[in-house]
Amino acid sequence: MSWATATEAEDYTGYYGYGEYDMSHTGDPRQDMEYERHYATHSYIVPEVIKNFLVYFQKVINQRDLLEIQNSYENGFNKLTDRFFKNTAWPEAEVVAPIVNNDKRFLILYKELYYRHVYARLSGGPSLSQRFDSYFNYCDLFNYILNADGPVPLELPDQWLWDIVDEFIYQFQSFSIFRHKSIGKKTEDEIELLKENPKMWNVHSVLNVLHSLVDKSNINKQLEVYTSGGDPDSVAGEFGQHSLYKMLGYFSLVGLLRLHSLLGDYYQALKALENIDFNKKSLYSRVPACQITTFYFVGFAYMMMRRYQDAIRTLSNILLYIQRTKTMFQNKTQLYDQISKTNDQMYTLLSMCLVLYPMRIDESVHSHLREKYQDKMNKMQRGDMAEFEASFAFACPKFLSPVPPNYELDNTAKSKEPFALQLMVFKDEVNQQIQVPTIRSYLKLYTTLPIAKLAAFMDMSDDELCTQLMCFKHKMKNLVWTKGTSGLDGEFQSASEVDFFIDKDMIHIADTKVARRYGDFFIRQFHKFDEIMRSLKAT
Amino acid sequence: MRATVASLLKGIERYNPENLVNLERYVDMQANENTYDLEANLAVLKLYQFNPNLYQAQVTAVILLKALTNLPHSDFILCKCMIEPSRLMEEPVAKVLGLAELLETANFNEFWISLMKDLDPLIEGIVGFEDSIRKCKYLEMGVSIGSIFNLTPISLMKDLDPLIEGIVGFEDSIRKFVCHVVASTYSTIRKDKLRQLLGNVTEAQASQWVSKYGWTEQLDGYVFIANQDEHIRTKNITEKISFDSVAAIMASGR
């Protein structure tokens, strides 16, 4: 590898801000880990089948044989994991190094998988030094890709590239939560290490990586040109033409969406995607996990911004997509579990949005909702705040604090603050419109209704009722996306089921009457029948 | 200035605390010149979030008040989501949160009353004086305290809390929001009610708002807003089956 011999990975220090890190310090995590590693893995003998796999994996990566890389990545690695390393770590990179001729680049990629497996499968999760080491490894990987004079000779399958960005943010998230966990659970050495390394998994470094990947690939320009029907390559530049950079750039936009959402910055979250056209089947939407993550966070951001109509549209689109493609993931256990969880979270979000903003949605999504969430929806409709709270807690992302805690104190309360804040904002919003469902239920019964009569029903004065009616209108008139790629744009619309206006002392009500639908049902039965017939014939 | 600021918000520059001074000055400028830039203001809040030691309550309060001027947009929520919970309980931010609550629930009368309560202590004395004069006058007439506040003439509103006073056009922005809500709720509204919702403006001022929005004053004391039944009407959704959806079935049934 020309790259590996030309420069040592250590030479890149400084680019992501970990250069200021004092190497001479006694608590040096790298040295500590070096020691632990030798101690623990000295006598480990790598099974032949693992050796063969690693050599082959290295070979296909160096040959840039995308199909075989994908096969080794998606099948080989996971099968061997299940066979040999179900609950234990893969061999340390030092042990692997001689097997792959000290191929530094391969070792970085290997470690990416190694730590990801540690995070996912090892009971007790990663140790502090493993967290640090994984961070360094990501720095090495991104430095290799970003600091080269020309595009690096590396190709990886889209799925892997997505997993890299996804895991990078996940580990950041995991670290942020970890450092806030109560001090009682940490050893003094760990606290010392954390204090001495404030730059480790720092939010700025993470943002820097994502922005650098976005800039390097010119992905925003590429998307702009792509949306207007042009050739993205014409603006991609030297790096952006390569799939590796282009896709890392694209996934980093989704990464920014996620990161900003975790910090409660929904505006920046949606802004990161302003050049992506959701309503068009995209070149870039080939990775289902990325697709689902994108829609989940967009839907959530819209809900928080009181853009219920947009949230409902976004969520039902992706839920329909999952419903149709579910069978594709069934043999990939880990992905399937993850998708199922997000699927349930999104149904919960959808149920909350529909309670606040009843409107018609796709029939099959609606019937699943009725089946599984009707009870909860009924409770929320009656203004049960505890149910709103429980649903929110289940469906929301894991919010983070971007700043390190004071390690001298017990941070248990502090660690819950980011979640508590978002919950409070949401609850405040719900409380402001808590009367709306009750008013709506009365309005539904009439075509005209005197203000005084409804005021009596609601046990309020006429003036109070008028205030409530104005509140109803304000809350039900949402900004709705209509055109363009930016999800932030929109115009004020009201598509709620029940609408009204006041003329002098009279409320005039416009309801939405939906005739029963039979066609959909029959069409689906036809298809089912057809499928059964076909499978019968096949056997 | 807007263009210079935009360059400070590009990419990773956005998180550079060294830009904070300029961005804070820009917040002041928005208050003085009645302009608005949500994105820049959120960048300030983001820098506070990343660097809690740089947090400034006054600037935050101005940002929140500016967000209120952009109602019915949900900018206020966007800002609120980025401020530490403990900061939200401190003054003057907590006070602004209270105002927001009133506006978000369309409690416009209460909102104007609440604004009056936040008077600068010096002037408060004078207002109290004036109010007590009114109290005597109105109590005789059997009018409740609430409506006394409602009758406070517009000239006194200028003497609000210095913070709000510093935001040029604050009250008129709120009145625009009031008009937005009124326009979507009413087909006709009593003029005195409208005046009240707008913060007890004078007859003449109310008429200005009416003509600004192209509404018309009727002889019966009502203001005609619009014929709402043109777009608020009962919808009947009947099932439509597209040819495409049955084409496949027909083909397979051959």
Side-chain angles (χ1 to χ4, degrees), chain A residues 39-51:
Chain A
Y39 189 74
T41 58
H42 219 52
S43 53
Y44 182 74
I45 297 158
V46 182
E48 208 58 27
V49 51
I50 301 287
K51 268 189 200 166

Side-chain angles (χ1 to χ4, degrees), chain A residues 151-163:
Chain A
V152 294
L154 175 67
E155 277 186 65
L156 295 177
D158 288 353
Q159 179 69 48
W160 194 351
L161 294 173
W162 162 253
D163 289 338

Side-chain angles (χ1 to χ4, degrees), chain A residues 331-348:
Chain A
N331 45 0
K332 295 176 185 169
T333 340
Q334 224 174 324
L335 185 65
Y336 185 78
D337 290 349
Q338 197 193 329
I339 290 177
S340 305
K341 169 99 199 275
T342 316
N343 190 57
D344 292 349
Q345 286 181 307
M346 290 194 292
Y347 267 110
T348 306

Side-chain angles (χ1 to χ4, degrees), chain A residues 11 15 88 115 154 178 183 236 258 310 321 345 402 420 474 500:
Chain A
D11 289 351
Y15 191 75
T88 54
Y115 289 115
L154 175 67
F178 169 80
I183 43 167
R258 176 170 168 202
D310 284 329
Y321 165 83
Q345 286 181 307
H474 166 51
F500 70 91

